[in-house]
Amino acid sequence: MSAFDEFDQERQAIDMLLEQGYQVISIAEDLDGARVTFVPGGSGQSAVIELLLLTADARKHLTTVVFAGRKPAAPIETVI
């Protein structure tokens, strides 16, 4: 799989969760990648979802989406 295909899969997962109303509550970076925790945005869903982002481009996409205000985001807790 090419680097772009890996990024595209992660980007689609991020966008799908945000479109479903999930909010980012934490981002933890380590040597394996970035672990992003999503929680439902008050629409009756109860599952907390953790997504592991392996590509730098997907991490950049996530921060761009959150900080650009495209989707409402919960306060983010970062762990380094």
Side-chain angles (χ1 to χ4, degrees), residues 29-77:
E29 297 259 352
D30 58 24
L31 295 176
D32 293 329
R35 296 182 194 283
V36 184
T37 306
F38 293 87
V39 293
S43 61
Q45 301 163 333
S46 62
V48 173
I49 296 177
E50 185 174 281
L51 184 62
L52 177 62
L53 302 179
L54 301 175
T55 64
D57 288 330
R59 290 180 292 215
K60 288 188 275 186
H61 175 70
L62 176 69
T63 55
T64 300
V65 167
V66 169
F67 289 110
R70 189 173 94 185
K71 296 288 181 185
I76 296 177
E77 170 191 333

Side-chain angles (χ1 to χ4, degrees), residues 14-22 40-41 43 45 49 71:
I14 292 166
D15 291 345
M16 180 191 67
L17 288 169
L18 293 174
E19 286 173 9
Q20 291 177 357
Y22 281 83
S43 61
Q45 301 163 333
I49 296 177
K71 296 288 181 185

